[in-house]
Amino acid sequence: MKAAQIIAGLWFLFIPGVNIIDPIPDFIGYALILYGIYGISNIDYPFSDAARYFRFLVIAGLLKLPALYVYFISGEEERTWTMLVMSMIFSAFELIFGLFAWKNFFEGLDARIVNSGQTGALDRTVTKARRATYVFVIAKPVLCVLPDLSILSSGDYGIVTDSGIFSLSQYRGLFTVIAMFISLIIGIVWLVITARALGAVKKNSAVIENIRLSVEEYEKNTRRVKVKSLLVALSF
């Protein structure tokens, strides 16, 4: 497990997005995390499951590019509703698969910490990071889509008052700024807590050595199987 690459990936994730627009593409962050857990994902089921869900998140991030194209070629009247629908779809996708990905990631990390006999301060630090991650993974997509829901109160669907129909959509820009600010604060707190936890894991020689030996043993066995397969093939 390459903790440095995983921490680098976090930096691409904490920045809030607007609708389906990512100022810093999330898929780069998820790709870095995938690279960081590549070796251990071949031997630990939790990390293997985490890698699968992180791949889904990379794909979702890449799909935002053609989705943006669809948005820009839409008509003026259709554009607002197109963005709302796509924002809801991508937010739901990121919420569900994000929770599964990080759940399995921390389960795998917890197992390695226990196997290394390093429970205690390190375990508490990682637990704190797990809780912060769940808050962040839920808050980021929810806050991303919430301002767009104000569109539902536009036109005939507004709130009826004595002075007419009141539409929340006119404050959509303000709601977006507030949501981005809250999401950014949550993201910064999450980044600090999680990066600190992964940094502690990186500095713990027992955990890193436990992972390194397991990966080396797997690679050695894999090479042995390949050699046997080659010998069998040549014998025919």
Side-chain angles (χ1 to χ4, degrees), residues 208-223:
I208 297 302
E209 184 68 8
N210 178 274
I211 294 173
R212 186 185 66 80
L213 291 175
S214 296
V215 172
E216 287 182 355
E217 183 66 23
Y218 169 79
E219 292 175 348
K220 187 185 299 182
N221 291 335
T222 301
R223 286 194 296 269

Side-chain angles (χ1 to χ4, degrees), residues 41 52 72 77 105 111 147 170 233:
S41 67
R52 183 171 70 253
F72 284 116
E77 296 182 358
F105 174 85
Q170 60 183 317

Side-chain angles (χ1 to χ4, degrees), residues 3 12-13 32 38-40 51 59-60 69 71 81 93 100 104 111 121 134 136 143 146 159 166-167 178 193 211 232:
F12 287 87
L13 301 179
L32 284 170
Y38 174 74
I40 194 68
I59 294 171
Y69 174 75
Y71 167 74
W81 293 100
F93 194 95
F100 279 115
N104 284 285
Y134 289 158
F136 172 75
L143 289 170
L146 272 181
I159 302 171
F166 175 74
S167 175
I178 294 173
I193 293 174
I211 294 173
V232 170

Side-chain angles (χ1 to χ4, degrees), residues 9-231:
L10 303 182
W11 284 89
F12 287 87
L13 301 179
F14 86 99
I15 300 294
V18 181
N19 311 120
I20 60 171
I21 301 172
D22 290 327
I24 301 179
D26 286 352
F27 70 84
I28 297 177
Y30 291 126
L32 284 170
I33 294 171
L34 265 173
Y35 177 70
I37 64 174
Y38 174 74
I40 194 68
S41 67
N42 291 319
I43 55 179
D44 278 12
Y45 285 114
F47 282 113
S48 177
D49 290 339
R52 183 171 70 253
Y53 291 117
F54 280 128
R55 288 190 197 98
F56 290 154
L57 291 167
V58 170
I59 294 171
L62 291 171
L63 288 175
K64 286 184 179 181
L65 300 177
L68 279 172
Y69 174 75
V70 172
Y71 167 74
F72 284 116
I73 65 173
S74 300
E76 192 66 33
E77 296 182 358
E78 301 171 348
R79 190 170 292 175
T80 300
W81 293 100
T82 300
M83 180 59 77
L84 173 61
V85 172
M86 290 193 299
S87 181
M88 292 178 68
I89 291 173
F90 280 107
S91 292
F93 194 95
E94 290 172 1
L95 173 61
I96 294 170
F97 287 102
L99 285 173
F100 279 115
W102 287 109
K103 171 181 175 294
N104 284 285
F105 174 85
F106 282 107
E107 283 182 356
L109 192 57
D110 286 341
R112 282 293 167 173
I113 290 172
V114 172
N115 291 340
S116 304
Q118 298 299 305
T119 55
L122 181 61
D123 192 41
R124 289 192 296 271
T125 301
V126 171
T127 299
K128 187 184 296 184
R130 180 207 293 266
R131 292 170 181 168
T133 299
Y134 289 158
V135 172
F136 172 75
V137 170
I138 294 171
K140 184 180 179 180
V142 169
L143 289 170
C144 184
V145 76
L146 272 181
D148 291 333
L149 294 178
S150 62
I151 298 170
L152 299 175
S153 70
S154 61
D156 296 333
Y157 301 99
I159 302 171
V160 179
T161 64
D162 294 336
S163 57
I165 298 178
F166 175 74
S167 175
L168 292 173
S169 60
Q170 60 183 317
Y171 299 106
R172 182 183 172 196
L174 176 62
F175 294 152
T176 300
V177 172
I178 294 173
M180 287 186 66
F181 177 75
I182 296 173
S183 182
L184 180 61
I185 296 299
I186 294 174
I188 292 173
V189 173
W190 167 74
L191 176 64
V192 171
I193 293 174
T194 307
R196 184 179 297 170
L198 292 174
V201 172
K202 182 182 177 183
K203 293 177 181 177
N204 191 294
S205 58
V207 176
I208 297 302
E209 184 68 8
N210 178 274
I211 294 173
R212 186 185 66 80
L213 291 175
S214 296
V215 172
E216 287 182 355
E217 183 66 23
Y218 169 79
E219 292 175 348
K220 187 185 299 182
N221 291 335
T222 301
R223 286 194 296 269
R224 190 179 296 123
V225 170
K226 287 181 179 179
V227 171
K228 287 184 178 179
S229 299
L230 180 61
L231 291 175

